[in-house]
Structure formats: structure tokens, C-alpha cells
């Protein structure tokens, strides 16, 4: 097409001085048709086509660019490209093709790849044609592939850890129970002596303390192994109509002694009428246990934990908010990654498990945090099971 147009223009230019009024009108009409054809063609392309002159001023862009960047011709045409795409480093006088990659945040976050090449047939230092390709989905797929590979590595590691640590932990737990019984006998023997053997009783009390510490550490190690096992063997949710409110109340009741021991204030703001949602109540309770425990650990004594629920559109939601120190923005971007943790004794698996369970329910998580003010996790679940939609038959 470009060669045909070039030949046509060449012929017109060599005869332009000999054309009469009617001939000029014919030429103008044909040029208008070709311009219309090319504009239709460019606007049908999914990639953005952008043309700038030698000074980097925008002289043309197709409809795909307006969709990607929310541009309007009256605002953009004739303006420097650097005013609208500062991420694109404009190089005046470039004579060869170039590739760029950058992110834009407006009208929504997108990742763009740009191919820039000099306009064909123009002199050195002339304008450039830019092809903008939206690579957001491809980048997301790459990220998901990397995450999948990371999870696979986690699975192999966790399987080994669970096997190597699980059996010794069971043995330690059994022997600690046996030691506890012997210490109890030591207490009874010292108390039965006349007069009571104070030295033996003091030794028994110290042994009690040591055993309590050992049991606490065994419990913590057992929790870590359990987290690993849950990470490597995620079971498919057994969906049945359930109430987020009921699960929240059960979870709060389960953790209430620990919250009271920490001196926390608990606020329940559960919606009075909440639609049922297809869920695996056991897995959703696991989600809330993880989130509430994280919130408790984020607060000092006397903090406030707020659990709130609601609904909107075709979904129900529940949130867990704390008044802790908050999460820095650079940490939020990694918070769901396996092994990433902001806690001194964290496994870095809890939030990964939460995210996996929520996704398997067809839901999503929102996270809002402000340093020094606190953090809120909000879980959204569909209020009804999603089924394939059938297109209505058209009447002939």
C-alpha cells in the first residue's frame, strides 16, 4: 500500500503543473480516500500508533493511544510528548530504531513497551513513529509463572522440613509430658517429707519453669510445621452456603482469651443482615485466625481490634483492622510473598495461605495501611456461586 501511494504521489507531483481544476479535484478526492483508509486501518490496530516531529511534538495518534492513556486530540496534538509521557526519554536526532519499557499510572496502572523508529524516507533528525504495546497482561503472566515456580520450590522445601522436623517434635512432646509427670512426683515427695524439703521444692519449681519454656517452644515449632504443611497441601474448598458473621463470631470466641490477656479492645461491627456466601467455613476461619493473630501481634497492650462485615453488589466482605504501627509502602508490595515477614518470629507463610484460600473461593483481598496508624485487611467473597452465563437465543 505504501508503494502504491508513493507511485501515485510521484505521478501527481510530476504532473501537478499541467492539471486543470477538475483534475486537481480528482487528486484531492483520491488523497482523501486514501487518508480515510489509512486512518481506519490505524484505528483498527490494537497497539497505539503515535507520530512526533523532530522536536518531539505530537502530530498524530490513533484511537488505541486514547484508550491506553486517556488522551484527547485538542489537549495533546502539537504539544511536546515529554509533557504527557515523561517516562519516555525523548532523544532528538535519533536515526535508528529504539525500544523502551515503562509504567504509567493514569488512567490505570499499565506497563507499556514502545518501539520507536524514524519516519521512512525522511532526512536524518526528522520525526519518529512510535508503536505502543500494552504488555500488562503478559507481564502479569510472567509474574504468575515466577510465583508458581517459587511456590513449587516452597513445596519441595516444606515437604522436606515437615518430614525432618515433625517426627522429632512428636518425640520431644512425649518426653516433655513424661518429665512433667516426674516433676509432679518430685513435688509430692518433697511435700510429704516432714518437715517439707524446701530445697527439693525449689528445684521442682525451677524444673516446672524450664518445662513451660520448652513446651512453648515446641508449640511454636509445631505451628511452623503446620504452616508449612498447609502451604504445600492446600485442599480445594468444600463450598456450602455459610455466613461470614457466624465464622467471625466463632473465630473471635476462639481467640478471645489471648486478646483479653493482651488487654486489647475488640469492636464487632457485623452487618445485621448479611447474604450467605458459598464458602468452606473451616478455611475461612483459618483466614480470619491468621489475620486476627497478625493484628494482635502488630499492637502493643491496649490496642483496638475491629472486625466489620458488609455486602455490596454481588459480594460480601469482612475486614480486620488494628491500631498498630502500620506497614510501610515498600513492604506492602511484598507482603503476600512466601517467606516475607515483618515479624521477628514470623514464618512468612500466613498471608500467602490467606491469599491462596481467598482466591480459591473466587474472592480478593484489599489492604490499606498507614504507618503509625494501623492496618486493615478486607476480604471480598462472591455472595453466590458463579456459573457460566448462557447467551439468549436470537429470534430469527
Amino acid at each position: 500500500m505504501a508503494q502504491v501511494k508513493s507511485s501515485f504521489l510521484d505521478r501527481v507531483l510530476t504532473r501537478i503543473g499541467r492539471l486543470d481544476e477538475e483534475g486537481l479535484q480528482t487528486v484531492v478526492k483520491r488523497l482523501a480516500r486514501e487518508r480515510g483508509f489509512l486512518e481506519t486501518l490505524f484505528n483498527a490496530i490494537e497497539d497505539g500508533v503515535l507520530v512526533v516531529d523532530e522536536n518531539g511534538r505530537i502530530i498524530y495518534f490513533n484511537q488505541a493511544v486514547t484508550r491506553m492513556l486517556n488522551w484527547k486530540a485538542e489537549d495533546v496534538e502539537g504539544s511536546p510528548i515529554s509533557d504527557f509521557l515523561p517516562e519516555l526519554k525523548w532523544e532528538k536526532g535519533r536515526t535508528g530504531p529504539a525500544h523502551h519499557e515503562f509504567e504509567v499510572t493514569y488512567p490505570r496502572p499499565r506497563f507499556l513497551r514502545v518501539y520507536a523508529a524514524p519516519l521512512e524516507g525522511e532526512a536524518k533528525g526528522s520525526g519518529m513513529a512510535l508503536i505502543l504495546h500494552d504488555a500488562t497482561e503478559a507481564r502479569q503472566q510472567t509474574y504468575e509463572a515466577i510465583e508458581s515456580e517459587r511456590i513449587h520450590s516452597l513445596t519441595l522445601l516444606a515437604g522436606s522440613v515437615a518430614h525432618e522436623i515433625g517426627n522429632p517434635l512428636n518425640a520431644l512432646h512425649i518426653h516433655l509430658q513424661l518429665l512433667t509427670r516426674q516433676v509432679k512426683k518430685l513435688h509430692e515427695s518433697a511435700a510429704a517429707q516432714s518437715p517439707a524439703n524446701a530445697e527439693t521444692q525449689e528445684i521442682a519449681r525451677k524444673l516446672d519453669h524450664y518445662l513451660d519454656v520448652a513446651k512453648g517452644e515446641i508449640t511454636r515449632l509445631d505451628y511452623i510445621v503446620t504452616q508449612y504443611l498447609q502451604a504445600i497441601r492446600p485442599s480445594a474448598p468444600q463450598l456450602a452456603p455459610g455466613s461470614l458473621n457466624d465464622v467471625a463470631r466463632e473465630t473471635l470466641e476462639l481467640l478471645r482469651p489471648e486478646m483479653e490477656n493482651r488487654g486489647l479492645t475488640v469492636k464487632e461491627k457485623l452487618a445485621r443482615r448479611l447474604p450467605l456466601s458459598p464458602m468452606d467455613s473451616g478455611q475461612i476461619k483459618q483466614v480470619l485466625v491468621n489475620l486476627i493473630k497478625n493484628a494482635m501481634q502488630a499492637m502493643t497492650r491496649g490496642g483496638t481490634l475491629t472486625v466489620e462485615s458488609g455486602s455490596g453488589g454481588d459480594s460480601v466482605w469482612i475486614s480486620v483492622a488494628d491500631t498498630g504501627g502500620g506497614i510501610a509502602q515498600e513492604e506492602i508490595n511484598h507482603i503476600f510473598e512466601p517467606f516475607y515477614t515483618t515479624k521477628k518470629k514470623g514464618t512468612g507463610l500466613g498471608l500467602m495461605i490467606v491469599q491462596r484460600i481467598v482466591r480459591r473461593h473466587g474472592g480478593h483481598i484489599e489492604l490499606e495501611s498507614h504507618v503509625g496508624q494501623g492496618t486493615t485487611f478486607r476480604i471480598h467473597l462472591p455472595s453466590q456461586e458463579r456459573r457460566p452465563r448462557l447467551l439468549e437465543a436470537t429470534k430469527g
Side-chain angles (χ1 to χ4, degrees):
M1 181 65 198
Q3 184 60 42
V4 173
K5 180 180 178 183
S6 178
S7 299
F8 169 69
L9 287 176
D10 288 343
R11 291 198 302 271
V12 169
L13 291 174
T14 57
R15 299 169 52 194
I16 192 72
R18 301 194 299 271
L19 292 175
D20 56 15
E21 183 178 347
E22 183 177 349
L24 286 173
Q25 289 180 349
T26 302
V27 169
V28 171
K29 287 180 181 179
R30 179 165 178 179
L31 289 174
R33 285 198 303 271
E34 291 201 6
R35 175 186 171 87
F37 170 77
L38 289 174
E39 285 193 346
T40 301
L41 178 64
F42 283 136
N43 286 329
I45 297 174
E46 291 187 0
D47 287 341
V49 178
L50 180 66
V51 180
V52 295
D53 64 18
E54 60 180 357
N55 295 314
R57 293 186 176 275
I58 301 167
I59 57 178
Y60 173 79
F61 56 91
N62 67 350
Q63 290 181 1
V65 174
T66 67
R67 291 193 297 270
M68 287 182 191
L69 306 174
N70 199 34
W71 283 3
K72 295 180 181 179
E74 60 271 22
D75 298 332
V76 178
E77 196 167 343
S79 301
I81 191 171
S82 57
D83 290 352
F84 296 90
L85 283 178
E87 303 89 348
L88 183 63
K89 304 302 182 183
W90 175 252
E91 301 177 29
K92 184 176 180 180
R94 172 177 283 276
T95 57
H99 294 269
H100 301 272
E101 293 183 349
F102 59 88
E103 292 183 78
V104 295
T105 57
Y106 182 83
R108 57 191 176 120
R110 311 299 291 167
F111 180 76
L112 301 180
R113 291 197 178 102
V114 180
Y115 173 76
L119 293 174
E120 185 179 354
E122 296 289 339
K124 180 179 180 181
S126 63
M128 300 283 286
L130 309 176
I131 308 299
L132 279 66
H133 176 68
D134 188 341
T136 307
E137 291 185 7
R139 195 186 196 198
Q140 180 63 25
Q141 289 173 357
T142 301
Y143 172 79
E144 290 174 355
I146 294 173
E147 184 180 19
S148 176
E149 185 64 28
R150 186 183 295 162
I151 298 273
H152 178 66
S153 300
L154 166 66
T155 299
L156 297 177
L157 175 62
S160 175
V161 169
H163 176 73
E164 296 297 329
I165 295 181
N167 291 334
L169 277 181
N170 289 333
L172 285 171
H173 185 68
I174 291 171
H175 282 80
L176 284 176
Q177 288 180 327
L178 294 174
L179 281 172
T180 301
R181 293 176 185 175
Q182 294 302 315
V183 171
K184 183 179 180 182
K185 290 181 180 179
L186 190 60
H187 273 295
E188 294 172 349
S189 175
Q193 294 179 18
S194 182
N197 191 325
E199 184 179 355
T200 303
Q201 287 182 330
E202 180 62 23
I203 292 173
R205 280 195 292 271
K206 288 183 178 180
L207 288 175
D208 277 332
H209 172 70
Y210 299 151
L211 284 171
D212 287 341
V213 173
K215 288 177 183 177
E217 292 303 301
I218 291 292
T219 300
R220 189 168 73 86
L221 286 171
D222 185 61
Y223 172 75
I224 292 173
V225 173
T226 301
Q227 290 282 79
Y228 272 110
L229 291 175
Q230 290 171 345
I232 65 173
R233 291 204 297 260
S235 57
Q238 303 299 312
L239 301 180
S243 169
L244 270 180
N245 283 351
D246 290 345
V247 177
R249 292 189 184 100
E250 292 172 8
T251 306
L252 288 171
E253 193 61 32
L254 174 68
L255 299 176
R256 196 172 300 281
E258 187 174 350
M259 291 186 288
E260 290 176 350
N261 186 53
R262 288 174 174 265
L264 300 178
T265 300
V266 180
K267 292 184 178 181
E268 293 184 32
K269 297 182 178 180
L270 304 180
R272 291 185 177 180
R273 295 182 179 180
L274 195 65
L276 298 181
S277 174
M279 68 174 69
D280 184 318
S281 296
Q283 290 190 8
I284 297 302
K285 182 184 289 186
Q286 183 183 356
V287 166
L288 292 180
V289 166
N290 271 315
L291 293 180
I292 292 174
K293 277 184 170 290
N294 281 353
M296 291 162 55
Q297 293 166 4
M299 293 184 286
T300 57
R301 189 173 185 84
T304 300
L305 175 79
T306 304
V307 179
E308 186 175 0
S309 66
S311 62
D314 59 352
S315 68
V316 294
W317 58 266
I318 189 161
S319 65
V320 176
D322 63 62
T323 56
I327 306 171
Q329 184 60 47
E330 59 270 18
E331 294 177 341
I332 288 178
N333 298 331
H334 303 283
I335 203 72
F336 292 104
E337 294 179 3
F339 299 121
Y340 187 87
T341 180
T342 59
K343 296 179 290 187
K344 292 182 179 179
K345 295 185 178 182
T347 64
L349 294 174
L351 288 178
M352 189 199 77
I353 294 170
V354 165
Q355 187 181 58
R356 180 180 286 181
I357 290 174
V358 172
R359 283 180 175 175
R360 282 172 170 255
H361 278 73
H364 67 277
I365 306 173
E366 291 178 357
L367 167 59
E368 182 179 353
S369 187
H370 301 282
V371 175
Q373 298 180 31
T375 301
T376 300
F377 284 90
R378 177 172 291 184
I379 306 298
H380 293 261
L381 298 178
S383 58
Q384 55 187 353
E385 190 171 356
R386 294 177 180 175
R387 300 175 180 176
R389 294 179 60 186
L390 300 178
L391 297 176
E392 295 183 2
T394 55
K395 296 180 179 180

